[in-house]
Amino acid sequence: MGKDVIVALDFSRAEEVFAFLDKFESESKKPFVKIGMELFYSQGADMVRAIKARGHKIFLDLKLHDIPNTVKKSMAVLSSLDVDICNLHAGGGIAMMKAALEGLTREDGSRPLLIAVTQLTSTSEQVMKEELWIDKPIDLTVMHYASNAAQAGLDGVVCSPLEAGKVHSECGKNFLTVTPGVRFDDASKGDQVRVTTPARAKELGSDYIVVGRPVTAADDPVAAYRRCVGEFVD
Ligand code: C5P
């Protein structure tokens, strides 16, 4: 898969999702979309099937973290939904990540891509030290978790576009960087702190950008999506 823009469907009601996707009905390329916990827990697997049937690629962002056997069996269920990307927490360890890959792999050898969350961006170095008792600096921890994910055979990590170059140099240029925190240069940041434009994310080497509100809350979501694609992919 080449570079692409992934639109975060951060809605909880089916009507909101379909009203949004209907706007892209006449587009030749249907956006790659991200289904997160909010939508999955409220609407279930049927929503995944319905969006897939409309021709969208899907990143199912459920961030699994459990014992290897449970993650393996759960990933097998997600793989049967024919999604394109799944994810988990690298903090679950290398054995858990390897088990996840086994669970995802279908009988014919195909599988969705699997990427890891390293440290959540909401976790500060202070929280790591005082609550989690992790004494190493946060940037080293993020890179160590990324290299654990690469060692386990995963396809990439979720990270900031600002970290994409470092991840590629430590884990290989084919190791995917899926990067949220994207804003147009003429728009508000919302609650994101470290943001880059789609064009800058491309320069920094991101493989996929994950864009939510700049598209979903735009007056013209199709135009905003096309602008992202124009800056990041074309
Ligand atoms: O609306 P916005 O563009 O900020 O949405 C970004 C999406 O990426 C949301 O679904 C958010 O949960 C997700 N995300 C993030 N930062 C991370 C990991 C995921 O913004 N570090």
Side-chain angles (χ1 to χ4, degrees):
M1 285 204 259
K3 281 190 188 297
D4 209 347
V5 174
I6 302 178
V7 178
L9 294 178
D10 291 327
F11 304 111
S12 58
R13 297 189 359 228
E15 308 86 81
E16 290 176 287
V17 174
F18 294 127
F20 176 77
L21 295 180
D22 282 348
K23 298 184 202 292
F24 294 86
E25 202 54 38
S26 55
E27 292 293 291
S28 56
K29 181 188 174 306
K30 299 285 164 62
F32 201 136
V33 297
K34 178 169 88 74
I35 297 177
M37 288 188 249
E38 180 187 7
L39 186 56
F40 190 78
Y41 291 149
S42 67
Q43 304 296 326
D46 283 347
M47 176 57 82
V48 177
R49 293 188 193 97
I51 294 174
K52 194 78 199 174
R54 284 171 169 245
H56 298 268
K57 285 187 169 174
I58 297 175
F59 167 18
L60 191 53
D61 177 19
L62 300 181
K63 300 187 181 73
L64 276 68
H65 188 167
D66 207 321
I67 60 170
N69 188 50
T70 301
V71 168
K72 179 178 170 177
K73 288 182 171 168
S74 306
M75 284 294 186
V77 175
L78 301 184
S79 187
S80 73
L81 294 174
D82 197 21
V83 296
D84 300 280
I85 305 181
C86 291
N87 66 354
L88 45 63
H89 275 283
I94 292 175
M96 186 200 78
M97 291 192 268
K98 286 184 172 169
L101 279 175
E102 279 177 36
L104 279 182
T105 305
R106 305 178 186 114
E107 272 186 12
D108 65 1
S110 68
R111 63 166 175 81
L113 293 172
L114 182 62
I115 61 175
V117 174
T118 55
Q119 282 290 350
L120 292 170
T121 44
S122 51
T123 306
S124 66
E125 194 156 304
Q126 187 185 3
V127 166
M128 274 179 43
K129 283 205 168 70
E130 292 175 8
E131 292 180 24
L132 308 179
W133 288 15
I134 298 171
D135 283 327
K136 298 271 197 301
I138 195 160
D139 52 340
L140 290 186
T141 310
V142 165
M143 283 304 150
H144 182 58
Y145 284 23
S147 67
N148 284 350
Q151 197 187 317
L154 268 67
D155 303 293
V157 285
V158 181
C159 64
S160 160
L162 302 164
E163 294 159 351
K166 191 139 190 254
V167 170
H168 283 139
S169 64
E170 299 221 353
C171 304
K173 66 175 174 28
N174 294 327
F175 193 67
L176 301 172
T177 53
V178 179
T179 66
V182 172
R183 292 291 178 268
F184 295 123
D185 54 7
D186 50 2
S188 92
K189 293 185 188 175
D191 52 4
Q192 296 279 13
V193 181
R194 295 161 75 219
V195 297
T196 56
T197 63
R200 183 79 185 120
K202 181 181 185 177
E203 286 168 13
L204 291 166
S206 294
D207 296 291
Y208 294 87
I209 50 171
V210 177
V211 189
R213 289 158 292 179
V215 171
T216 55
D219 291 336
D220 184 343
V222 176
Y225 172 69
R226 285 190 190 144
R227 183 176 171 191
C228 286
V229 172
E231 282 191 29
F232 184 71
V233 183
D234 297 340

CSV table of all heavy atoms in Angstrom, one decimal, residues 49-101:
chain,number,residue,atom,x,y,z
A,49,ARG,N,-18.8,-4.2,8.7
A,49,ARG,CA,-19.2,-4.8,7.4
A,49,ARG,C,-19.9,-3.9,6.5
A,49,ARG,O,-19.7,-3.8,5.3
A,49,ARG,CB,-20.2,-6.0,7.7
A,49,ARG,CG,-19.5,-7.2,8.4
A,49,ARG,CD,-20.4,-8.4,8.6
A,49,ARG,NE,-19.8,-9.3,9.5
A,49,ARG,CZ,-20.2,-9.4,10.8
A,49,ARG,NH1,-21.1,-8.6,11.3
A,49,ARG,NH2,-19.6,-10.3,11.6
A,50,ALA,N,-20.7,-3.0,7.1
A,50,ALA,CA,-21.5,-2.0,6.2
A,50,ALA,C,-20.6,-1.0,5.5
A,50,ALA,O,-20.7,-0.7,4.4
A,50,ALA,CB,-22.5,-1.3,7.1
A,51,ILE,N,-19.5,-0.6,6.3
A,51,ILE,CA,-18.6,0.4,5.7
A,51,ILE,C,-17.7,-0.3,4.6
A,51,ILE,O,-17.5,0.3,3.6
A,51,ILE,CB,-17.8,1.1,6.8
A,51,ILE,CG1,-18.7,1.9,7.7
A,51,ILE,CG2,-16.6,1.9,6.2
A,51,ILE,CD1,-18.0,2.5,8.9
A,52,LYS,N,-17.3,-1.5,4.9
A,52,LYS,CA,-16.5,-2.3,4.0
A,52,LYS,C,-17.3,-2.5,2.7
A,52,LYS,O,-16.8,-2.3,1.6
A,52,LYS,CB,-16.2,-3.6,4.6
A,52,LYS,CG,-15.1,-4.4,3.9
A,52,LYS,CD,-13.7,-3.9,4.1
A,52,LYS,CE,-12.7,-4.3,3.1
A,52,LYS,NZ,-11.4,-3.8,3.2
A,53,ALA,N,-18.6,-2.8,2.8
A,53,ALA,CA,-19.5,-3.0,1.7
A,53,ALA,C,-19.7,-1.8,0.8
A,53,ALA,O,-19.9,-1.9,-0.4
A,53,ALA,CB,-20.9,-3.5,2.1
A,54,ARG,N,-19.5,-0.6,1.4
A,54,ARG,CA,-19.5,0.6,0.6
A,54,ARG,C,-18.2,0.9,-0.1
A,54,ARG,O,-18.1,1.9,-0.8
A,54,ARG,CB,-19.8,1.8,1.5
A,54,ARG,CG,-21.2,1.9,2.0
A,54,ARG,CD,-21.3,3.0,3.1
A,54,ARG,NE,-22.7,3.3,3.3
A,54,ARG,CZ,-23.3,4.5,3.1
A,54,ARG,NH1,-22.5,5.5,2.6
A,54,ARG,NH2,-24.5,4.8,3.4
A,55,GLY,N,-17.2,0.1,0.1
A,55,GLY,CA,-16.0,0.2,-0.7
A,55,GLY,C,-14.9,0.9,0.0
A,55,GLY,O,-13.9,1.4,-0.7
A,56,HIS,N,-14.9,1.1,1.3
A,56,HIS,CA,-13.9,1.8,2.0
A,56,HIS,C,-12.9,0.8,2.6
A,56,HIS,O,-13.3,-0.3,3.0
A,56,HIS,CB,-14.4,2.6,3.2
A,56,HIS,CG,-15.4,3.7,2.8
A,56,HIS,ND1,-15.0,5.0,2.5
A,56,HIS,CD2,-16.7,3.6,2.6
A,56,HIS,CE1,-16.0,5.7,2.2
A,56,HIS,NE2,-17.1,4.9,2.2
A,57,LYS,N,-11.6,1.2,2.6
A,57,LYS,CA,-10.6,0.4,3.3
A,57,LYS,C,-10.8,0.9,4.8
A,57,LYS,O,-11.2,2.0,5.1
A,57,LYS,CB,-9.2,0.8,2.9
A,57,LYS,CG,-8.8,0.1,1.5
A,57,LYS,CD,-7.4,0.3,1.2
A,57,LYS,CE,-7.0,-0.5,0.1
A,57,LYS,NZ,-5.6,-0.3,-0.4
A,58,ILE,N,-10.4,-0.1,5.7
A,58,ILE,CA,-10.7,0.2,7.1
A,58,ILE,C,-9.5,-0.1,8.0
A,58,ILE,O,-8.9,-1.1,7.9
A,58,ILE,CB,-11.9,-0.6,7.6
A,58,ILE,CG1,-13.2,-0.3,6.9
A,58,ILE,CG2,-12.1,-0.5,9.1
A,58,ILE,CD1,-14.4,-1.1,7.2
A,59,PHE,N,-9.2,0.9,8.8
A,59,PHE,CA,-8.2,0.8,9.9
A,59,PHE,C,-9.0,0.6,11.2
A,59,PHE,O,-9.7,1.6,11.6
A,59,PHE,CB,-7.3,2.0,10.0
A,59,PHE,CG,-6.4,2.2,11.2
A,59,PHE,CD1,-6.2,1.1,12.1
A,59,PHE,CD2,-5.9,3.4,11.5
A,59,PHE,CE1,-5.4,1.3,13.2
A,59,PHE,CE2,-5.1,3.6,12.6
A,59,PHE,CZ,-4.8,2.5,13.5
A,60,LEU,N,-9.0,-0.6,11.8
A,60,LEU,CA,-9.8,-0.8,13.0
A,60,LEU,C,-8.9,-0.6,14.2
A,60,LEU,O,-8.0,-1.3,14.5
A,60,LEU,CB,-10.3,-2.3,13.0
A,60,LEU,CG,-11.4,-2.6,14.0
A,60,LEU,CD1,-12.6,-1.7,14.0
A,60,LEU,CD2,-11.9,-4.1,13.7
A,61,ASP,N,-9.2,0.6,14.8
A,61,ASP,CA,-8.3,1.1,15.9
A,61,ASP,C,-8.8,0.7,17.3
A,61,ASP,O,-9.4,1.5,18.0
A,61,ASP,CB,-8.2,2.7,15.7
A,61,ASP,CG,-7.4,3.4,16.7
A,61,ASP,OD1,-6.6,2.7,17.4
A,61,ASP,OD2,-7.6,4.6,16.9
A,62,LEU,N,-8.5,-0.5,17.6
A,62,LEU,CA,-9.1,-1.0,18.9
A,62,LEU,C,-8.0,-1.3,20.0
A,62,LEU,O,-8.3,-1.6,21.1
A,62,LEU,CB,-9.9,-2.3,18.7
A,62,LEU,CG,-11.1,-2.2,17.8
A,62,LEU,CD1,-11.8,-3.6,17.6
A,62,LEU,CD2,-12.0,-1.2,18.3
A,63,LYS,N,-6.7,-1.1,19.6
A,63,LYS,CA,-5.6,-1.1,20.5
A,63,LYS,C,-5.6,-2.2,21.5
A,63,LYS,O,-5.7,-2.0,22.7
A,63,LYS,CB,-5.5,0.3,21.3
A,63,LYS,CG,-5.4,1.5,20.4
A,63,LYS,CD,-5.2,2.7,21.3
A,63,LYS,CE,-5.1,4.0,20.4
A,63,LYS,NZ,-6.3,4.5,19.8
A,64,LEU,N,-5.5,-3.5,21.0
A,64,LEU,CA,-5.6,-4.6,21.9
A,64,LEU,C,-4.4,-4.7,22.9
A,64,LEU,O,-3.3,-4.3,22.5
A,64,LEU,CB,-5.7,-5.9,21.1
A,64,LEU,CG,-7.2,-6.3,20.7
A,64,LEU,CD1,-7.7,-5.3,19.6
A,64,LEU,CD2,-7.2,-7.7,20.1
A,65,HIS,N,-4.6,-5.2,24.1
A,65,HIS,CA,-3.6,-5.4,25.0
A,65,HIS,C,-4.1,-6.4,26.1
A,65,HIS,O,-4.9,-6.1,26.9
A,65,HIS,CB,-3.3,-4.0,25.7
A,65,HIS,CG,-2.1,-4.1,26.6
A,65,HIS,ND1,-1.5,-2.9,27.1
A,65,HIS,CD2,-1.3,-5.1,27.1
A,65,HIS,CE1,-0.5,-3.2,27.9
A,65,HIS,NE2,-0.3,-4.5,27.9
A,66,ASP,N,-3.6,-7.7,25.9
A,66,ASP,CA,-4.1,-8.7,26.8
A,66,ASP,C,-3.0,-9.9,26.8
A,66,ASP,O,-2.0,-9.7,26.1
A,66,ASP,CB,-5.5,-9.2,26.4
A,66,ASP,CG,-6.3,-9.7,27.6
A,66,ASP,OD1,-5.7,-10.5,28.4
A,66,ASP,OD2,-7.5,-9.5,27.7
A,67,ILE,N,-3.3,-11.0,27.4
A,67,ILE,CA,-2.4,-12.1,27.3
A,67,ILE,C,-2.3,-12.6,25.8
A,67,ILE,O,-3.3,-12.4,25.1
A,67,ILE,CB,-2.7,-13.2,28.3
A,67,ILE,CG1,-4.1,-13.8,28.0
A,67,ILE,CG2,-2.6,-12.8,29.7
A,67,ILE,CD1,-4.4,-15.1,28.8
A,68,PRO,N,-1.2,-13.2,25.4
A,68,PRO,CA,-1.0,-13.5,24.0
A,68,PRO,C,-2.1,-14.4,23.5
A,68,PRO,O,-2.6,-14.1,22.4
A,68,PRO,CB,0.3,-14.3,24.0
A,68,PRO,CG,1.1,-13.6,25.1
A,68,PRO,CD,0.1,-13.3,26.2
A,69,ASN,N,-2.6,-15.4,24.2
A,69,ASN,CA,-3.6,-16.3,23.7
A,69,ASN,C,-4.9,-15.5,23.4
A,69,ASN,O,-5.6,-15.7,22.4
A,69,ASN,CB,-3.8,-17.4,24.7
A,69,ASN,CG,-4.8,-18.5,24.1
A,69,ASN,OD1,-4.5,-19.0,23.0
A,69,ASN,ND2,-5.8,-18.8,24.8
A,70,THR,N,-5.3,-14.6,24.3
A,70,THR,CA,-6.5,-13.9,24.1
A,70,THR,C,-6.4,-12.9,22.9
A,70,THR,O,-7.4,-12.8,22.1
A,70,THR,CB,-6.9,-13.1,25.4
A,70,THR,OG1,-7.0,-14.0,26.5
A,70,THR,CG2,-8.1,-12.3,25.3
A,71,VAL,N,-5.3,-12.3,22.8
A,71,VAL,CA,-5.1,-11.4,21.7
A,71,VAL,C,-5.1,-12.1,20.4
A,71,VAL,O,-5.7,-11.7,19.4
A,71,VAL,CB,-3.8,-10.6,21.9
A,71,VAL,CG1,-3.4,-9.8,20.6
A,71,VAL,CG2,-3.9,-9.6,23.0
A,72,LYS,N,-4.4,-13.3,20.3
A,72,LYS,CA,-4.4,-14.1,19.1
A,72,LYS,C,-5.8,-14.4,18.7
A,72,LYS,O,-6.2,-14.2,17.5
A,72,LYS,CB,-3.6,-15.4,19.4
A,72,LYS,CG,-3.6,-16.3,18.2
A,72,LYS,CD,-2.7,-17.6,18.6
A,72,LYS,CE,-2.8,-18.6,17.5
A,72,LYS,NZ,-2.0,-19.8,17.8
A,73,LYS,N,-6.7,-14.9,19.6
A,73,LYS,CA,-8.0,-15.3,19.2
A,73,LYS,C,-8.9,-14.1,18.8
A,73,LYS,O,-9.7,-14.2,17.9
A,73,LYS,CB,-8.7,-16.1,20.4
A,73,LYS,CG,-8.1,-17.4,20.6
A,73,LYS,CD,-8.8,-18.2,21.7
A,73,LYS,CE,-8.3,-19.6,21.7
A,73,LYS,NZ,-8.8,-20.3,23.0
A,74,SER,N,-8.7,-13.0,19.5
A,74,SER,CA,-9.4,-11.8,19.2
A,74,SER,C,-9.0,-11.2,17.8
A,74,SER,O,-9.9,-10.8,17.0
A,74,SER,CB,-9.2,-10.7,20.2
A,74,SER,OG,-9.5,-11.2,21.5
A,75,MET,N,-7.7,-11.3,17.5
A,75,MET,CA,-7.3,-10.8,16.2
A,75,MET,C,-7.8,-11.7,15.1
A,75,MET,O,-8.1,-11.2,14.0
A,75,MET,CB,-5.7,-10.8,16.2
A,75,MET,CG,-5.1,-9.7,16.9
A,75,MET,SD,-5.5,-8.0,16.2
A,75,MET,CE,-4.5,-6.9,17.2
A,76,ALA,N,-8.0,-13.0,15.3
A,76,ALA,CA,-8.6,-13.9,14.3
A,76,ALA,C,-10.0,-13.4,14.0
A,76,ALA,O,-10.4,-13.4,12.8
A,76,ALA,CB,-8.6,-15.3,14.8
A,77,VAL,N,-10.7,-13.0,15.0
A,77,VAL,CA,-12.1,-12.5,14.8
A,77,VAL,C,-12.1,-11.2,13.9
A,77,VAL,O,-12.8,-11.0,13.0
A,77,VAL,CB,-12.8,-12.2,16.1
A,77,VAL,CG1,-14.2,-11.6,15.9
A,77,VAL,CG2,-13.0,-13.5,17.0
A,78,LEU,N,-11.2,-10.3,14.3
A,78,LEU,CA,-11.1,-9.0,13.6
A,78,LEU,C,-10.6,-9.3,12.1
A,78,LEU,O,-11.1,-8.6,11.2
A,78,LEU,CB,-10.1,-8.1,14.2
A,78,LEU,CG,-10.4,-7.7,15.7
A,78,LEU,CD1,-9.5,-6.6,16.2
A,78,LEU,CD2,-11.9,-7.2,15.8
A,79,SER,N,-9.7,-10.2,11.9
A,79,SER,CA,-9.2,-10.5,10.6
A,79,SER,C,-10.4,-11.0,9.7
A,79,SER,O,-10.5,-10.7,8.5
A,79,SER,CB,-8.1,-11.6,10.7
A,79,SER,OG,-7.5,-11.8,9.4
A,80,SER,N,-11.3,-11.8,10.3
A,80,SER,CA,-12.4,-12.3,9.5
A,80,SER,C,-13.4,-11.2,9.1
A,80,SER,O,-14.2,-11.4,8.2
A,80,SER,CB,-13.2,-13.4,10.3
A,80,SER,OG,-14.0,-12.7,11.3
A,81,LEU,N,-13.3,-10.0,9.6
A,81,LEU,CA,-14.1,-8.9,9.2
A,81,LEU,C,-13.5,-8.2,7.9
A,81,LEU,O,-14.0,-7.2,7.4
A,81,LEU,CB,-14.2,-7.8,10.3
A,81,LEU,CG,-14.9,-8.2,11.6
A,81,LEU,CD1,-14.8,-7.1,12.6
A,81,LEU,CD2,-16.4,-8.5,11.2
A,82,ASP,N,-12.3,-8.7,7.5
A,82,ASP,CA,-11.7,-8.2,6.3
A,82,ASP,C,-11.3,-6.7,6.4
A,82,ASP,O,-11.5,-6.0,5.4
A,82,ASP,CB,-12.7,-8.4,5.1
A,82,ASP,CG,-11.9,-8.3,3.7
A,82,ASP,OD1,-10.7,-8.5,3.7
A,82,ASP,OD2,-12.6,-8.1,2.7
A,83,VAL,N,-10.8,-6.3,7.5
A,83,VAL,CA,-10.3,-5.0,7.7
A,83,VAL,C,-8.9,-4.9,7.1
A,83,VAL,O,-8.2,-6.0,6.8
A,83,VAL,CB,-10.3,-4.5,9.1
A,83,VAL,CG1,-11.8,-4.4,9.6
A,83,VAL,CG2,-9.5,-5.3,10.0
A,84,ASP,N,-8.4,-3.7,6.9
A,84,ASP,CA,-7.1,-3.5,6.2
A,84,ASP,C,-5.9,-3.3,7.2
A,84,ASP,O,-4.8,-3.6,6.9
A,84,ASP,CB,-7.2,-2.4,5.2
A,84,ASP,CG,-8.2,-2.7,4.2
A,84,ASP,OD1,-7.9,-3.5,3.3
A,84,ASP,OD2,-9.4,-2.3,4.4
A,85,ILE,N,-6.2,-2.6,8.3
A,85,ILE,CA,-5.2,-2.4,9.4
A,85,ILE,C,-5.8,-2.6,10.7
A,85,ILE,O,-6.9,-2.2,11.0
A,85,ILE,CB,-4.6,-0.9,9.3
A,85,ILE,CG1,-4.1,-0.6,7.9
A,85,ILE,CG2,-3.5,-0.8,10.4
A,85,ILE,CD1,-3.5,0.9,7.9
A,86,CYS,N,-5.1,-3.3,11.6
A,86,CYS,CA,-5.5,-3.5,13.0
A,86,CYS,C,-4.3,-2.9,13.9
A,86,CYS,O,-3.2,-2.7,13.4
A,86,CYS,CB,-5.7,-5.0,13.4
A,86,CYS,SG,-7.1,-5.7,12.6
A,87,ASN,N,-4.6,-2.8,15.2
A,87,ASN,CA,-3.5,-2.3,16.0
A,87,ASN,C,-3.5,-2.9,17.4
A,87,ASN,O,-4.6,-3.5,17.8
A,87,ASN,CB,-3.4,-0.8,16.0
A,87,ASN,CG,-4.5,-0.1,16.7
A,87,ASN,OD1,-5.5,-0.7,17.1
A,87,ASN,ND2,-4.5,1.2,16.8
A,88,LEU,N,-2.5,-2.7,18.2
A,88,LEU,CA,-2.4,-3.2,19.6
A,88,LEU,C,-1.4,-2.3,20.3
A,88,LEU,O,-0.7,-1.4,19.7
A,88,LEU,CB,-1.9,-4.6,19.6
A,88,LEU,CG,-0.8,-5.0,18.7
A,88,LEU,CD1,0.5,-4.4,19.0
A,88,LEU,CD2,-0.6,-6.5,18.8
A,89,HIS,N,-1.3,-2.5,21.6
A,89,HIS,CA,-0.3,-1.7,22.4
A,89,HIS,C,1.0,-2.5,22.4
A,89,HIS,O,1.1,-3.7,22.9
A,89,HIS,CB,-0.8,-1.6,23.8
A,89,HIS,CG,-1.7,-0.4,24.0
A,89,HIS,ND1,-1.2,0.9,24.1
A,89,HIS,CD2,-3.0,-0.3,24.1
A,89,HIS,CE1,-2.2,1.7,24.3
A,89,HIS,NE2,-3.3,1.0,24.3
A,90,ALA,N,2.1,-1.9,22.0
A,90,ALA,CA,3.4,-2.5,22.1
A,90,ALA,C,3.8,-2.9,23.5
A,90,ALA,O,4.6,-3.8,23.7
A,90,ALA,CB,4.5,-1.6,21.5
A,91,GLY,N,3.2,-2.2,24.5
A,91,GLY,CA,3.5,-2.5,25.9
A,91,GLY,C,3.0,-3.9,26.3
A,91,GLY,O,3.4,-4.4,27.4
A,92,GLY,N,2.3,-4.6,25.5
A,92,GLY,CA,1.9,-6.0,25.8
A,92,GLY,C,3.0,-7.0,25.6
A,92,GLY,O,3.0,-8.1,26.0
A,93,GLY,N,4.1,-6.5,24.9
A,93,GLY,CA,5.3,-7.3,24.8
A,93,GLY,C,5.4,-8.1,23.5
A,93,GLY,O,4.4,-8.1,22.7
A,94,ILE,N,6.6,-8.6,23.2
A,94,ILE,CA,6.9,-9.2,21.9
A,94,ILE,C,6.1,-10.5,21.7
A,94,ILE,O,5.6,-10.7,20.6
A,94,ILE,CB,8.4,-9.4,21.8
A,94,ILE,CG1,9.1,-8.0,21.7
A,94,ILE,CG2,8.8,-10.3,20.5
A,94,ILE,CD1,10.6,-8.1,21.6
A,95,ALA,N,5.9,-11.3,22.8
A,95,ALA,CA,5.2,-12.5,22.6
A,95,ALA,C,3.7,-12.2,22.2
A,95,ALA,O,3.1,-12.9,21.4
A,95,ALA,CB,5.2,-13.3,23.9
A,96,MET,N,3.2,-11.2,22.9
A,96,MET,CA,1.8,-10.8,22.5
A,96,MET,C,1.7,-10.3,21.1
A,96,MET,O,0.7,-10.7,20.4
A,96,MET,CB,1.3,-9.7,23.5
A,96,MET,CG,-0.2,-9.4,23.3
A,96,MET,SD,-0.6,-7.8,23.9
A,96,MET,CE,0.0,-6.7,22.6
A,97,MET,N,2.7,-9.5,20.6
A,97,MET,CA,2.6,-9.0,19.2
A,97,MET,C,2.8,-10.2,18.2
A,97,MET,O,2.1,-10.2,17.2
A,97,MET,CB,3.7,-8.0,19.1
A,97,MET,CG,3.4,-6.7,19.8
A,97,MET,SD,4.5,-5.3,19.4
A,97,MET,CE,5.8,-5.5,20.5
A,98,LYS,N,3.6,-11.1,18.5
A,98,LYS,CA,3.8,-12.3,17.6
A,98,LYS,C,2.5,-13.1,17.6
A,98,LYS,O,2.1,-13.6,16.5
A,98,LYS,CB,4.9,-13.2,18.1
A,98,LYS,CG,6.3,-12.6,17.8
A,98,LYS,CD,7.4,-13.6,18.2
A,98,LYS,CE,8.8,-13.1,17.7
A,98,LYS,NZ,9.9,-13.8,18.2
A,99,ALA,N,1.9,-13.3,18.8
A,99,ALA,CA,0.6,-14.0,18.8
A,99,ALA,C,-0.5,-13.3,18.0
A,99,ALA,O,-1.3,-13.9,17.3
A,99,ALA,CB,0.2,-14.2,20.3
A,100,ALA,N,-0.5,-12.0,18.1
A,100,ALA,CA,-1.5,-11.2,17.3
A,100,ALA,C,-1.3,-11.5,15.8
A,100,ALA,O,-2.3,-11.6,15.1
A,100,ALA,CB,-1.3,-9.7,17.6
A,101,LEU,N,0.0,-11.5,15.3
A,101,LEU,CA,0.2,-11.7,13.9
A,101,LEU,C,-0.3,-13.1,13.5
A,101,LEU,O,-0.9,-13.3,12.5
A,101,LEU,CB,1.7,-11.7,13.6
A,101,LEU,CG,2.3,-10.3,13.4
A,101,LEU,CD1,3.8,-10.4,13.3
A,101,LEU,CD2,1.6,-9.5,12.2
